[in-house]
Amino acid sequence: MSYVSDNPLVAPEAVVVGAGPAGLMAAEALGAAGLSVLLAEAMPSPARKLLMAGKSGLNLTKSEPRPRFDAAYRPRPPALAAALDGFGPEAAMSWAEGLGQPLFIGSTGRVFPRAMKASPLLRAWLGRLDGLGVRLARRWRWTGWEAGGGVGFDTPEGARSLTPRVTVLAMGGASWRRLGSDGAWADRFEAEELAPFAPANVGLAVEWSPLMERHFGTPVKGCALSAGDTSGRGEFVISRRGLEGGGIYAVSRAVREGAELTLDLLPDLSLDEIRVRLARPRGKTSVSNHLRKVLNLDAGPRALLQEFARPLPHDLAPLLKALPVRHAGPRPLDEAISTAGGVRFEALDEGLMLRRRPGSFVAGEMLDWEAPTGGYLITACLATGRHAGRSAAAWARAR
C-alpha cells in the first residue's frame, strides 16, 4: 500500500492514527463498513513492533478456558470486556486463518502461525486493507486536534490538517521508542484523562556481586515465583542487567506495586523432603555440589541462592522454598514489553469514544490496561482496534 499526495483520500471519512495491530484492525473494520480510510503512521513502515515480536515466534493468542483467559486482564472494565467478547481467542485464530496463515497450539496453549514469523501475516493483512481501499500515509506524525474538529499532522510535505468524520487513535504505549511507541501523544490529553505510564512485562534490575558475572545468560527453569497474590511457574534468565524473561514478566505488576518476590527453587519437593535429602552425608563436598547431587539443583538456582542468601544458614530448606529476591525495581520504561497506564476507561464510552471529543476513539496500548505475555497483549490490541473501528463506523453512519 502507498499513499499518493494527490489521492482523493486527502479528505477521508475516517482517519486511523498508528499502523500497529490495533490501528490496522481499526482500519479493517472501518474499510469493511464502507468508509474511505486514511491510515497515518509516524514511522517509515507499519507494524514495526509486531514484526519485532515475530522474530522469536508470533504469539497471537492463548487457547485456554475462557475464565482463565479473561482473568489475565487487569483492569477489565466493561469496554475492554466488550471488545474481548467480540474478538476473543477463537476469533483471533479464525481471523489469522482467514488471512491464509495456518496456526498451531503449543503445549502451554500459546497460539502461533506455522510460519512463526509476523511478516507473512502482515503482508496478507496489508493486501486485505488495500482491497478495502485503505491508504497508508507513512511518516505522518499526529500533532493533535485542531479547531473545528480537525486533526493535524507533520508530514514529509509539511503540516497537514484533515477533517474526517471519525478518528481512531492507536499510537501504542510508551515503551520501545525506537519502534514508534514513545507516548508523546499524552501531551495532547487532559491530565484527568490519563493514568501515569508504568512498565509492564518488564525485567528487574539487580546489582550483582562480581561472582555472578560468569552466570550471565544462564536460564533458570522449573522455579515457582510468588509476589503478592500472583504466583506461577516460569522460565527466566540471569542477565547483566538483572532478571528477565516470561517468569519475571508474569509477576512484574505485583512487584511494581510493592510486593516482595520470592522463588521456590524446588516446587516439586516439600520442605520435609528437601530436609531429608540435605541430611545425607556431605563429606568434603562443597555446599553447591551437595545441592546439585542430592537435589538435582541447576547452576542458575544455586547461584541465586548464594547471591541472595549469603551467609547461608544451617537449615537451607526454607530458603530453597521461598528465596527472597533482592532487586532494585523494574527496568526502565522503554525496556518494557508493554506499558500500564494511558487513557483511562472513565474518559471513554463503551464504544471507546472519548467523552470530551465526540468522533475520536482510542484503541490498543494507548488504553489503561495490562496483561502478561503469552498471546494476551496482541489479542487485546486486535480486539480493541476492531471494537473502536466498528464503533467509529456506527457513529459516522448515524450522522
Side-chain angles (χ1 to χ4, degrees):
M1 295 195 309
S2 62
Y3 176 79
V4 182
S5 59
D6 60 356
N7 191 289
L9 289 185
V10 72
E13 295 170 293
V15 169
V16 177
V17 186
L24 291 169
M25 187 59 89
E28 180 178 334
L30 287 160
L35 276 71
S36 58
V37 184
L38 176 66
L39 178 58
E41 169 57 43
M43 302 299 285
S45 57
R48 289 193 165 194
K49 193 172 180 182
L50 181 72
L51 290 170
M52 178 63 75
K55 284 190 173 182
S56 58
L58 183 63
N59 186 189
L60 275 174
T61 192
K62 186 75 174 288
S63 178
E64 63 185 355
R66 192 55 191 263
R68 186 185 305 167
F69 181 87
D70 290 341
Y73 295 92
R74 297 174 60 185
R76 192 172 178 272
L80 179 59
L84 290 167
D85 286 344
F87 194 87
E90 295 80 10
M93 288 188 278
S94 296
W95 168 82
E97 290 170 340
L99 288 171
Q101 303 302 305
L103 306 173
F104 73 93
I105 302 174
S107 59
T108 61
R110 297 186 179 197
V111 180
F112 300 87
R114 290 201 178 275
M116 290 300 284
K117 300 178 181 178
S119 51
L121 182 143
L122 180 60
R123 283 195 298 270
W125 198 0
L126 293 176
R128 175 182 287 179
L129 295 180
D130 193 38
L132 292 172
V134 175
R135 291 295 175 261
L136 174 63
R138 305 168 191 266
R139 296 187 174 91
W140 275 45
R141 181 170 290 276
W142 183 66
T143 56
W145 292 280
E146 298 182 345
V151 285
F153 294 91
D154 280 336
T155 81
E157 292 79 29
R160 299 292 295 269
S161 180
L162 301 176
T163 54
R165 293 162 66 184
V166 289
T167 302
V168 178
L169 303 175
M171 290 175 279
S175 64
W176 292 70
R177 179 181 299 269
R178 65 187 177 88
L179 300 180
S181 297
D182 57 12
W185 50 263
D187 292 341
R188 278 80 179 180
F189 285 77
E190 298 294 333
E192 61 270 17
E193 294 176 319
L194 299 174
F197 290 127
N201 293 300
V202 66
L204 294 177
V206 180
E207 297 177 2
W208 300 114
S209 70
L211 296 174
M212 287 297 291
E213 186 168 357
R214 64 191 180 97
H215 297 286
F216 294 162
T218 300
V220 180
K221 302 179 181 180
C223 291
L225 302 90
S226 297
D229 61 357
T230 304
S231 61
R233 295 196 187 192
E235 183 176 337
F236 58 93
V237 174
I238 301 169
S239 78
R240 183 175 298 276
R241 299 181 297 182
L243 299 173
E244 304 176 23
I248 296 295
Y249 302 156
V251 297
S252 62
R253 174 178 178 142
V255 173
R256 188 185 74 225
E257 293 176 346
E260 181 187 32
L261 173 62
T262 61
L263 304 177
D264 183 345
L265 302 179
L266 296 163
D268 295 324
L269 295 178
S270 70
L271 198 65
D272 288 340
E273 288 173 320
I274 293 172
R275 283 187 171 128
V276 168
R277 294 194 186 192
L278 287 174
R280 295 174 186 173
R282 178 160 70 90
K284 294 182 179 180
T285 303
S286 69
V287 172
S288 181
N289 275 331
H290 189 60
L291 292 170
R292 177 179 59 82
K293 289 180 178 180
V294 302
L295 294 172
N296 198 28
L297 198 62
D298 290 337
R302 297 200 313 269
L304 293 177
L305 178 68
Q306 294 280 0
E307 180 72 6
F308 295 138
R310 282 196 313 262
L312 297 180
H314 176 71
D315 185 6
L316 285 177
L319 282 174
L320 291 166
K321 293 298 291 180
L323 177 65
V325 175
R326 185 177 64 252
H327 61 86
R331 295 292 304 167
L333 180 62
D334 196 49
E335 294 181 17
I337 291 177
S338 59
T339 50
V343 180
R344 298 182 186 273
F345 281 92
E346 293 82 359
L348 308 164
D349 68 11
E350 289 200 3
L352 299 178
M353 184 172 72
L354 281 164
R355 299 184 189 278
R356 184 173 63 91
R357 293 200 175 266
S360 291
F361 298 76
V362 185
E365 279 198 71
M366 286 183 67
L367 298 168
D368 179 23
W369 60 274
E370 65 178 299
T373 57
Y376 305 106
L377 297 172
I378 291 179
T379 299
C381 286
L382 295 173
T384 55
R386 176 180 178 271
H387 192 58
R390 287 191 159 198
S391 299
W395 196 87
R397 284 196 303 265
R399 285 154 182 79

